[in-house]
Amino acid sequence: MTFTKKAGLMGAIGCALVAGQAMAADDVFINPEWANSAWYVGGNIGQSRANIDDVRLIRSLTANGAGLNSFNADEKDVGYKLYVGKQLNQYFAVEAGFFDLGKFSFKSTTTQNGTLNGEAGFRGANLDLVAQVPLSQRFSVFGRAGMNYAKASTRFNGNRLFAVTNPSPSERKLNAKAGLGLEYKFSEALALRGEVERYRVNDAVGNRGDVDLFSFGLVYKIGRPAAKAAPAPVAPAAAPVVPTVAPEAAQPQLEPAKPLKPVAEKTTFSAEAAFAFDSAVLRPAGKESLDGLLTKLQGMDADVMITVGHTDSIGRAAYNEKLSLRRAASVKAYLVSKGVDAARVYTEGKGETQPVADNKTAEGRAKNRRVTVEVVGTRR
């Protein structure tokens, strides 16, 4: 891969990263469950470092009584990979891709004015099983294990070519690979990855070694669903036309309809039942509570919905306030996914400032870890 192509690919990833950061500020996780079964594509670029066994080459160079004057190896280059994957569930995915680990070279001189220079490049395909552990709604760590089928292309030149049996050998070999990484989700669809991988390789002249790839890249999941549109407001029925009748047959006038009075619905549910520890991702129990609230609201025109998160007093106050706000925002996102107009839903994070019980006891702290949803509207 030429320097121009590598620089272009790196620039494209950089531009996409900036765009992803810009969209992350306003993005809402509308439907996190969709991402657990989606197809995705991605690309990484970074530095590759080779660790090839050079002992065999040095032994060949010093054959026939020659002495080694110098042996200099350049074992770093730019590598990249492109891949496609399928998320099996929240924790596992299968990933296939193409990689180019770059080219690595050496220059050597011996006594008797001998020289031998060489260059080896590695590229191929891989198939991995990826295991991912979420740390929060946006951060997760992952590991991978799989196989790589790499082609090693090697070229030699110099006046001691007799030290190798073939000046331009190549070899295809199936070997293992593994890696570790960290992922940050800008949204359900777009994420940034940083990872380190080790590829086991053969260099086409009988040497085995490893190439490590330290890279950053972007992952994009395909087919993200849009938020459900809020139901269209129902126009009030036209008033019936009362025909004019003779005075003697006129019906008694009906009393005017009483104006609708505003009503309010408020529900409170345990944060421990709705969310995992230190997480803002809704659990099934939390979704059931919200589904029950939406059922109660049938027949009611909701003007305003306010979701408020609360915590106990354990931990730093600033962190608790942010956690309570993230949980309130997660409740809003779920309500919006069910058709509620996002413009009518407001979020607040009160942290530990509004306890309803004593934080000195475990029972009191459990009552303080809560989320409330208040709805103000009119009954039809």
Side-chain angles (χ1 to χ4, degrees):
M1 188 179 187
T2 65
F3 176 78
T4 303
K5 292 181 179 179
K6 291 174 181 175
L9 180 59
M10 188 175 295
I13 291 180
C15 292
L17 175 57
V18 172
Q21 289 175 325
M23 66 178 288
D26 298 325
D27 185 74
V28 177
F29 280 48
I30 300 298
N31 188 359
E33 289 77 11
W34 154 80
N36 296 333
S37 59
W39 286 89
Y40 61 88
V41 295
N44 283 37
I45 190 168
Q47 185 179 80
S48 54
R49 298 180 182 178
N51 181 19
I52 308 297
D53 184 7
D54 297 322
V55 175
R56 183 173 178 272
L57 278 174
I58 295 174
R59 188 183 304 119
S60 300
L61 287 168
T62 56
N64 302 323
L68 185 66
N69 288 338
S70 66
F71 186 90
N72 299 314
D74 181 4
E75 297 182 334
K76 295 181 182 180
D77 200 4
V78 175
Y80 72 95
K81 65 174 184 173
L82 304 171
Y83 48 91
V84 61
K86 176 66 168 70
Q87 201 74 37
L88 304 178
N89 53 44
Q90 183 180 5
Y91 303 103
F92 292 99
V94 175
E95 200 170 285
F98 168 82
F99 61 86
D100 187 331
L101 300 178
K103 295 180 179 180
F104 313 97
S105 60
F106 74 90
K107 295 181 179 181
S108 63
T109 62
T110 66
T111 56
Q112 305 171 2
N113 295 321
T115 62
L116 181 65
N117 305 319
E119 182 182 75
F122 303 93
R123 60 172 57 183
N126 66 282
L127 180 65
D128 297 344
L129 177 66
V130 181
Q132 193 169 50
V133 179
L135 302 179
S136 67
Q137 189 176 43
R138 295 189 184 274
F139 276 104
S140 59
V141 294
F142 63 91
R144 64 172 69 245
M147 305 298 292
N148 78 88
Y149 186 70
K151 177 184 178 181
S153 301
T154 309
R155 292 185 299 174
F156 297 98
N157 62 75
N159 58 18
R160 290 188 64 83
L161 285 177
F162 63 84
V164 295
T165 57
N166 183 350
S168 300
S170 65
E171 183 177 6
R172 292 176 173 85
K173 201 76 173 181
L174 183 67
N175 283 298
K177 70 180 291 281
L180 291 171
L182 180 67
E183 180 176 287
Y184 176 79
K185 296 179 177 63
F186 296 118
S187 68
E188 301 154 33
L190 183 64
L192 171 69
R193 281 185 179 179
E195 56 184 311
V196 56
E197 298 170 280
R198 170 158 290 184
Y199 295 76
R200 190 69 168 166
V201 296
N202 293 69
D203 71 351
V205 292
N207 296 330
R208 294 190 66 184
D210 302 307
V211 178
D212 296 330
L213 179 61
F214 303 84
S215 64
F216 287 90
L218 294 174
V219 182
Y220 184 76
K221 292 187 176 179
I222 303 169
R224 181 190 187 199
K228 295 181 180 178
V234 179
V241 178
V242 180
T244 303
V245 296
E248 60 275 14
Q251 300 295 323
Q253 292 184 346
L254 299 176
E255 295 183 3
K258 296 181 179 180
L260 297 176
K261 295 182 178 180
V263 296
E265 295 282 351
K266 186 173 182 179
T267 184
T268 301
F269 53 94
S270 167
E272 291 179 331
F275 302 96
F277 175 73
D278 195 28
S279 171
V281 179
L282 269 172
R283 284 177 165 175
K287 296 176 182 178
E288 290 178 6
S289 299
L290 293 174
D291 290 340
L293 174 63
L294 293 173
T295 301
K296 289 172 59 178
L297 297 180
Q298 291 180 358
M300 176 179 175
D301 294 326
D303 297 323
V304 175
M305 300 183 73
I306 304 173
T307 68
V308 184
H310 302 269
T311 69
D312 59 28
S313 61
I314 296 177
R316 292 183 292 115
Y319 180 82
N320 286 337
E321 182 180 355
K322 292 179 181 178
L323 176 61
S324 64
L325 182 59
R326 286 192 289 118
R327 286 177 170 174
S330 183
V331 171
K332 173 181 177 178
Y334 184 76
L335 293 173
V336 171
S337 73
K338 291 295 183 178
V340 178
D341 185 359
R344 297 180 183 271
V345 185
Y346 298 86
T347 59
E348 295 183 17
K350 297 296 185 180
E352 59 189 64
T353 61
Q354 296 183 355
V356 294
D358 190 353
N359 275 310
K360 296 180 180 180
T361 66
E363 294 80 3
R365 290 192 295 271
K367 291 180 181 179
N368 290 332
R369 294 189 290 268
R370 68 197 190 280
V371 177
T372 63
V373 181
E374 184 171 3
V375 185
V376 178
T378 55
R379 286 283 183 188
R380 293 193 292 271

